[in-house]
């Protein structure tokens, strides 16, 4: 899982850090803006699209406009007005910011499940390999997608239980996907509907096919 | 000549001192005479260090060898709003290492805005056999692995509170590390965690801890699981829900209502993420008992908020989003006569136009209707001097007043004048005001009022205000009890700062960002005042690569007896005597 507790950092990409630039000669320096931003800020800005708009990002512009128009569509608010909001103002904590952002995103892009988290990372181990991987299950919507990615990740063929070809004699050298459920039992992946699987899985293991009686 | 010995035996004095808990009083006791100093230092059990860089661990341990409780604060307050760059400092590890060997009986650690690593947590878990309380408020740098170490090893842990911390949330398994024999939990706050904790482990944990009073869950815990948890803890005093939404199912509702109503001692509710208003009635039976209600994440509309709040006649503290609107605040004023603290947060902080009907009127209503109101944090989009004067006259008992008008430099919307007289009335009438945050259009005049009247003021926050150095001078020369001053985006420069340099040693700290203090003045201050750390924080590169009269980006000045700190990142420079040599 990624960082929690509202780790998003709002850093405006506007070129003036404050409206004080008529006093200080050097804060107009574009390099100063670049120094201030870390790469995580950049991706956060693009994802959230809420703060002042960077000249490059058309999406941000749309988000911000959409957001303000949803409240007062009769006012035409220029891009320049948005850009003048000072950095890190008003003073609200990141937890509140991210809660509000979530809420706004829900309004702009309503999801069927409001309280669905955006990521759910599970550990994936392959039998015989000590170091595991992590996978965000919410990035996939079906078993097909998940297995395709795992095949690529672990460079093997993973068989799906309902697609085992009766004619294949030596499937022992292939792998099967199993998972540990909430009760601690190891089960074959694929028996229950995908949505139910996602709620009950704790972690995944790719085991040799010959280990599983089919 | 024979000298009469009037002193009591040490044990008696120690016993007397044990009734003195206040730090100020204990400090006074230490000053009476050498023997009192000695006795006091050996029996001081609780230490509060408001700035972890003001003193170093060895000094503290040397003077107070028998400490059981320590509280430390690290980063400046403006770090909450991302004004302090990542990596600035506030590392607690040196403290943990020092205390691990010197305070084997340490029981409580409370940290605020500090960086604590998994290594630190592991060291805590292994070093302090009677460790009981860990509070990490707005901290960062650790993961759930560190929490697992605490859970596994601290047999006597009573309190684990992670409020608002940034945790590297690897998974929810850490909670399962509490052994089955562990039953001493009194308070658990995991509201900041992102992932689901092992639900069965949590159920078993709360079920076997008979003294559990506070349980603040995280957003990932769904509503339909809440009832199962709560019905195991009918003795709960404080509950923080997880996500408060679900499709409307009668069985979930009735289970929840039953469980919550069963908590006869419940006084405080929080959480309420993603609220489905249909579930709010589940808490109605408890409303009259509630003294504290945090709806700061509840994005629901005024009618639902009003209905809930109006039933809480004994409410003392309310945190809510501005969805409550003026009408809801009027209802609050009519129903909640015991209200002491109100915080209203903005639901649309970055929008230009108001999205809700919340104005200064809401605050005025509450100031009229709630005679005990003393602490206010209010975000709004318009204010008038008349409203502020009314509020000041209504509530001379105000001790904390923080107003944030969302658009900087907004004048009185009725007269288009600065809000100087309004805030002036606040400081004039509210003689016990300890904390004040200003906003709106303000000239040097408001600082004159503050310097004249705000004699009890301890903390002041200023943004986008003032015309000249005179403003800063008024504050520094007038506010006798000022401890913390934080300023951003104000035209305050060298003159006032240098003229009032001595004042800075009587304060905990001063923060100035996007102001006009020059690098040269910082150097001078650092050289003149050896007992201050004058930190220049500048991400544009070394300050001496620019002219001396160039303003620094950010400035953090604090008194210290530990000298310049040694853990500064590349964008922080401490100004001191031979700084001219060091910086080249």
């Amino acid at each position: 899982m990624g960082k929690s507790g509202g780790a998003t950092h709002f850093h405006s990409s506007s070129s003036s850090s404050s409206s004080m630039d008529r006093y200080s000669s050097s804060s107009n320096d574009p390099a100063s803006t670049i120094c201030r931003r870390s790469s995580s800020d950049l991706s956060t800005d693009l994802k959230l699209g809420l703060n002042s708009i960077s000249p490059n990002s058309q999406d941000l512009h749309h988000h911000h406009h959409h957001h303000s128009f949803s409240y007062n569509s009769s006012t035409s608010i220029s891009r320049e007005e948005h850009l003048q909001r000072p950095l890190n103002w008003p003073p609200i904590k990141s937890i509140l910011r991210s809660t509000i952002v979530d809420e706004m995103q829900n309004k702009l892009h309503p999801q069927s499940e409001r309280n669905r988290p955006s990521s759910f990372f599970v550990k994936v181990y392959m039998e015989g390999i000590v170091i595991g991987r992590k996978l965000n299950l919410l990035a996939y919507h079906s078993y097909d997608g998940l297995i395709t990615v795992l095949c690529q990740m672990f460079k093997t063929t993973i068989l799906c239980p309902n697609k085992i070809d009766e004619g294949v004699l030596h499937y022992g050298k292939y792998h099967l996907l199993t998972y540990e459920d909430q009760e601690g039992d190891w089960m074959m992946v694929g028996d229950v509907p995908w949505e139910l699987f996602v709620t009950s899985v704790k972690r995944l293991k790719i085991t040799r096919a010959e280990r599983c009686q089919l | 000549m024979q000298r009469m010995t009037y002193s009591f035996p040490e044990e008696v004095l120690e016993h007397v001192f044990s009734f003195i808990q206040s730090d100020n009083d204990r400090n006074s006791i230490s000053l009476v005479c050498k023997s009192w100093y000695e006795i006091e230092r050996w029996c001081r059990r609780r230490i509060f260090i408001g700035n972890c860089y003001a003193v170093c661990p060895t000094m503290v341990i040397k003077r107070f060898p028998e400490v059981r409780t320590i509280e430390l604060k690290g980063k400046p307050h403006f770090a909450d709003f991302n004004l302090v760059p990542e990596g600035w400092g506030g590392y607690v590890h040196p403290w943990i290492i020092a205390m691990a060997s010197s305070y084997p009986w340490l029981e409580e650690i409370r940290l605020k805005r500090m960086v604590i690593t998994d290594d630190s947590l592991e060291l805590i878990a292994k070093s302090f056999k009677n460790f009981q309380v860990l509070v990490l408020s707005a901290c960062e740098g650790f993961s759930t692995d560190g929490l697992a170490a605490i859970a596994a090893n601290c047999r006597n842990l009573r309190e684990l509170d992670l409020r608002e911390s940034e945790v590297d949330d690897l998974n929810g398994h850490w909670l399962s590390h509490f052994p089955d024999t562990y039953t001493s939990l009194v308070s658990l706050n995991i509201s900041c965690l992102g992932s689901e904790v092992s639900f069965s482990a949590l159920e078993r944990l709360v079920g076997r801890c008979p003294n559990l009073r506070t349980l603040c869950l995280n957003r990932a815990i769904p509503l339909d699981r809440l009832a199962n948890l709560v019905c195991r803890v009918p003795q709960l005093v404080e509950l923080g829900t997880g996500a408060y939404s679900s499709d409307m199912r009668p069985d979930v509702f009735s289970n929840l209502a039953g469980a919550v109503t069963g908590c006869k001692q419940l006084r405080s509710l929080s959480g309420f993420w993603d609220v489905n208003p249909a579930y709010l009635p589940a808490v109605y039976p408890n409303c009259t008992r509630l003294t504290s209600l945090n709806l700061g994440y509840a994005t629901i509309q005024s009618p639902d908020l009003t209905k809930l709040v109006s039933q809480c006649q004994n409410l003392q503290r309310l945190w809510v989003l501005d969805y409550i609107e003026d009408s809801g605040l009027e209802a609050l004023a009519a129903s909640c006569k015991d209200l002491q603290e109100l915080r209203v947060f903005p639901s649309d902080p970055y929008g230009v136009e108001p999205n809700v009907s919340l104005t200064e009127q809401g605050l005025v209503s509450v100031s009229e209707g709630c005679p005990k109101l003393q602490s206010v944090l209010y975000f709004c989009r318009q204010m008038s001097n008349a409203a502020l004067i009314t509020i000041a006259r209504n509530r001379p008992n105000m001790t904390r007043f923080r107003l944030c008008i969302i658009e900087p430099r907004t004048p009185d919307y009725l007269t288009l004048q600065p809000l100087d007289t309004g805030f002036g009335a606040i400081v004039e009438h509210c003689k016990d005001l300890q904390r004040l945050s200003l906003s709106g259009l303000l000239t040097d005049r408001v600082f004159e009022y503050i310097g004249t009247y705000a004699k009890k003021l301890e903390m002041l926050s200023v943004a986008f205000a003032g015309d000249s150095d005179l403003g800063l001078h008024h504050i520094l020369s007038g506010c006798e009890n000022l401890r913390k001053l934080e300023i951003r985006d104000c035209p305050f420069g060298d003159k006032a700062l240098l003229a009032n340099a001595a004042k800075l040693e009587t304060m905990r700290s001063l923060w100035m960002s996007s102001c006009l203090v020059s690098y040269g003045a910082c150097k001078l201050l650092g050289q003149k005042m050896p007992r201050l750390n004058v930190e220049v924080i500048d991400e544009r590169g070394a300050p001496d690569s620019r002219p001396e009269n160039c303003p620094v980006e950010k400035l953090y000045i604090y008194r210290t007896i530990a000298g310049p700190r040694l853990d500064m990142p590349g964008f922080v420079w401490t100004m001191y005597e031979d700084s001219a040599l060091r910086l080249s």
Side-chain angles (χ1 to χ4, degrees):
Chain A
M1 272 281 197
K3 274 197 173 190
S4 62
T8 56
H9 289 282
F10 271 47
H11 278 274
S12 167
S13 53
S14 78
S15 59
S16 71
S17 63
S18 74
S19 39
M20 295 301 298
D21 45 295
R22 64 183 184 279
Y23 294 96
S24 49
S25 51
S26 39
S27 63
N28 266 331
D29 180 5
S32 71
T33 316
I34 292 163
C35 288
R36 205 164 290 138
R37 297 172 59 113
S38 67
S39 55
S40 62
D41 298 339
L42 200 59
S43 59
T44 306
D45 274 346
L46 290 171
K47 259 194 290 184
L48 298 171
L50 250 202
N51 213 340
S52 298
I53 299 154
S54 97
N56 307 325
S57 178
Q58 204 53 32
D59 278 351
L60 282 175
H61 182 70
H62 277 302
H63 267 158
H64 206 73
H65 254 239
H66 190 179
H67 146 71
S68 50
F69 278 128
S70 69
Y71 296 125
N72 192 343
S73 51
S74 58
T75 314
S76 77
I77 298 160
S78 67
R79 225 167 129 241
E80 283 67 46
E81 280 180 48
H82 287 311
L83 285 171
Q84 258 153 37
R85 260 302 159 78
L87 194 61
N88 296 318
W89 183 268
I92 59 175
K93 296 185 181 177
S94 8
I95 290 179
L96 179 61
R97 260 195 297 245
S98 48
T99 305
I100 287 170
V101 160
D102 278 354
E103 195 52 33
M104 285 176 170
Q105 290 211 305
N106 281 341
K107 283 194 176 120
L108 295 176
H109 308 286
Q111 297 169 27
S112 51
E113 288 167 44
R114 289 267 172 130
N115 54 345
R116 186 199 296 172
S118 52
S119 65
F120 173 40
F121 282 89
V122 295
K123 292 184 186 173
V124 190
Y125 284 91
M126 171 122 112
E127 196 172 5
I129 298 178
V130 173
I131 306 287
R133 304 289 302 266
K134 268 197 158 180
L135 203 67
N136 179 10
L137 278 190
L138 295 189
Y140 311 101
H141 306 289
S142 69
Y143 289 118
D144 287 336
L146 174 64
I147 289 179
T148 307
V149 167
L150 286 175
C151 289
Q152 288 165 2
M153 222 187 227
F154 288 89
K155 309 218 184 333
T156 182
T157 308
I158 297 173
L159 305 176
C160 217
N162 44 355
K163 290 185 182 163
I164 301 254
D165 191 341
E166 302 285 357
V168 175
L169 296 169
H170 298 288
Y171 61 78
K173 63 178 157 70
Y174 296 116
H175 287 89
L176 287 165
L177 187 57
T178 62
Y179 73 102
E180 185 185 17
D181 70 3
Q182 296 292 336
E183 282 142 11
D185 300 318
W186 285 94
M187 313 294 289
M188 189 85 79
V189 165
D191 288 331
V192 299
W194 170 256
E195 289 74 23
L196 190 55
F197 165 68
V198 171
T199 57
S200 43
V201 62
K202 271 166 57 173
R203 56 180 156 155
L204 298 169
K205 191 158 180 197
I206 301 170
T207 50
R208 285 196 281 273
E210 61 206 358
R211 296 270 238 130
C212 312
Q213 300 282 344
L214 287 172
Chain B
M1 180 164 72
Q2 204 176 29
R3 198 196 299 174
M4 300 273 295
T5 320
Y6 289 106
S7 55
F8 290 112
E10 270 186 32
E11 297 79 19
V12 175
L13 278 172
E14 207 180 296
H15 183 69
V16 173
F17 293 169
S18 69
F19 294 100
I20 315 287
Q21 301 299 334
S22 133
D23 288 338
N24 281 339
D25 291 341
R26 278 198 166 249
N27 292 345
S28 305
I29 287 172
S30 321
L31 294 173
V32 167
C33 63
K34 276 194 175 161
S35 67
W36 280 37
Y37 175 92
E38 274 301 305
I39 297 167
E40 194 283 320
R41 78 181 187 90
W42 277 94
C43 71
R44 192 173 309 206
R45 297 280 177 264
R46 198 176 46 149
I47 296 282
F48 168 76
I49 296 168
N51 175 5
C52 64
Y53 291 121
V55 67
C56 66
T58 37
M59 288 171 172
V60 175
I61 291 168
K62 191 167 168 206
R63 179 165 170 194
F64 301 112
E66 295 283 338
V67 164
R68 298 278 182 274
T69 302
I70 188 160
E71 183 174 347
L72 287 162
K73 295 188 180 182
K75 301 184 212 171
H77 173 239
F78 271 177
D80 286 354
F81 317 124
N82 288 341
L83 284 166
V84 178
E86 195 88 12
W88 170 84
Y91 305 105
V92 79
H93 202 62
W95 288 86
I96 307 295
I97 291 178
M99 294 191 298
S101 49
S102 306
Y103 290 155
W105 299 110
L106 191 70
E107 294 170 3
E108 304 183 9
I109 295 177
R110 292 180 170 79
L111 305 178
K112 189 165 187 178
R113 293 190 203 98
M114 294 199 76
V115 180
I116 179 167
T117 59
D118 285 347
D119 286 344
S120 303
L121 288 169
E122 274 155 40
L123 194 52
I124 291 171
K126 304 226 163 84
S127 314
F128 307 117
K129 298 298 168 208
N130 195 23
F131 193 65
Q132 297 174 24
V133 172
L134 183 64
V135 177
L136 302 176
S137 175
C139 294
E140 58 172 352
F142 62 105
S143 79
T144 42
D145 286 350
L147 297 178
I150 296 284
N153 293 294
C154 301
R155 311 262 161 89
N156 296 322
L157 192 72
R158 287 186 288 116
E159 200 174 318
L160 179 60
D161 185 339
L162 306 175
R163 56 177 84 155
E164 296 179 0
S165 291
E166 267 186 37
V167 185
D168 196 0
D169 201 341
L170 304 171
N171 56 57
H173 296 313
W174 66 273
L175 199 82
S176 317
H177 286 252
F178 281 109
D180 291 333
T181 49
Y182 168 75
T183 58
S184 24
L185 195 63
V186 173
S187 171
L188 181 66
N189 180 348
I190 54 168
S191 52
C192 63
L193 294 181
S195 62
E196 250 184 58
V197 292
S198 158
F199 196 77
S200 49
L202 181 59
E203 269 187 343
R204 280 181 279 119
L205 177 65
V206 304
R208 67 176 184 266
C209 294
N211 297 320
L212 190 63
R213 295 278 175 275
T214 296
L215 182 61
C216 296
L217 304 168
N218 61 339
R219 197 172 180 176
I221 297 200
L223 194 61
D224 52 1
R225 295 253 165 132
L226 187 61
N228 282 348
L229 278 173
V230 173
C231 66
R232 283 163 206 249
V233 209
Q235 73 276 20
L236 264 188
V237 173
E238 190 179 335
L239 172 65
T241 73
Y244 204 78
S245 81
S246 170
D247 298 325
M248 191 48 183
R249 281 155 46 199
D251 57 323
V252 172
F253 181 88
S254 54
N255 287 344
L256 181 62
V260 172
T261 309
C263 296
K264 303 291 182 202
Q265 326 277 359
L266 197 63
R267 294 284 174 274
S268 167
L269 277 176
S270 60
F272 294 109
W273 283 282
D274 315 307
V275 177
N276 177 352
Y279 277 103
L280 284 177
V283 303
Y284 284 172
N286 252 306
C287 282
T288 45
R289 285 188 211 119
L290 291 180
T291 55
S292 170
L293 188 53
N294 182 353
L295 296 167
Y297 305 118
T299 49
I300 47 177
Q301 302 306 309
S302 183
D304 295 310
L305 284 169
T306 305
K307 188 149 184 220
L308 179 58
V309 153
S310 313
Q311 296 181 61
C312 304
Q313 290 93 10
N314 291 308
L315 205 59
Q316 293 171 15
R317 176 161 54 152
L318 176 66
W319 293 18
V320 70
L321 285 169
D322 58 8
Y323 286 126
I324 194 169
E325 298 191 330
D326 289 341
S327 55
L329 291 176
E330 262 176 57
L332 179 71
S335 319
C336 306
K337 296 304 184 186
D338 275 350
L339 195 72
Q340 294 173 21
E341 180 181 329
L342 175 67
R343 295 194 190 189
V344 178
F345 299 104
S347 56
D348 180 22
Y350 306 109
V352 176
E353 296 298 318
N355 62 322
V356 289
S357 176
L358 180 104
T359 67
E360 81 284 7
Q361 191 47 49
L363 187 55
V364 171
S365 308
V366 179
S367 76
E368 270 161 11
C370 303
K372 299 188 188 167
L373 186 71
Q374 45 170 282
S375 174
V376 167
L377 170 59
Y378 200 76
F379 284 81
C380 61
R381 286 190 155 84
Q382 69 183 43
M383 188 49 64
S384 65
N385 283 308
L388 284 170
I389 292 168
T390 305
I391 292 165
R393 290 207 173 118
N394 286 340
R395 296 272 63 81
N397 53 327
M398 190 78 72
T399 55
R400 287 169 184 77
F401 190 74
R402 293 150 76 188
L403 181 68
C404 182
I405 304 168
I406 290 175
E407 189 60 38
R409 301 198 185 88
T410 304
D412 175 328
Y413 77 99
L414 296 169
T415 65
L416 299 183
Q417 293 298 301
L419 290 169
D420 299 337
T421 43
F423 279 106
I426 295 279
V427 292
E428 190 186 342
H429 291 276
C430 308
K431 299 198 189 315
D432 291 324
L433 197 68
Q434 287 171 22
R435 188 165 177 187
L436 178 64
S437 298
L438 306 173
S439 58
L441 182 65
L442 297 163
T443 71
D444 284 346
R445 170 129 292 169
V446 72
F447 300 111
E448 202 185 325
Y449 292 139
I450 291 173
T452 306
Y453 293 110
K455 293 307 181 188
K456 300 271 182 70
L457 195 66
E458 296 180 13
M459 182 168 177
L460 179 64
S461 309
V462 188
F464 305 103
D467 311 310
S468 74
D469 269 48
L470 203 52
L472 181 56
H473 176 70
H474 284 308
I475 302 170
L476 292 176
S477 56
C479 298
E480 287 152 13
N481 280 299
L482 196 64
R483 291 188 299 115
K484 290 178 279 183
L485 179 58
E486 47 186 25
I487 301 172
R488 63 165 289 181
D489 294 276
C490 294
F492 299 150
D494 303 344
K495 286 197 293 272
L497 199 58
L498 293 172
N500 292 283
K503 169 72 175 174
L504 299 176
E505 267 189 22
T506 68
M507 293 164 55
R508 182 189 297 174
S509 65
L510 165 64
W511 169 279
M512 293 177 75
S513 56
S514 305
C515 295
L516 299 175
V517 181
S518 73
Y519 173 54
C522 294
K523 277 203 293 191
L524 194 56
L525 197 60
Q527 285 160 19
K528 265 175 63 176
M529 312 290 296
R531 282 192 302 238
L532 293 179
N533 274 355
V534 178
E535 288 189 10
V536 169
I537 300 165
D538 211 315
E539 290 176 286
R540 297 170 297 180
D544 56 0
S545 63
R546 287 178 293 276
E548 276 214 359
N549 61 352
C550 188
V552 299
E553 239 176 35
K554 297 170 185 181
L555 178 61
Y556 186 49
I557 303 173
Y558 53 91
R559 67 178 172 191
T560 179
I561 53 173
R565 59 184 174 111
L566 302 169
D567 59 359
M568 294 179 297
F571 51 84
V572 178
W573 293 266
T574 301
M575 313 283 107
Y576 52 100
E577 268 211 57
D578 33 26
S579 56
L581 293 169
R582 307 245 167 166
L583 289 173
S584 56

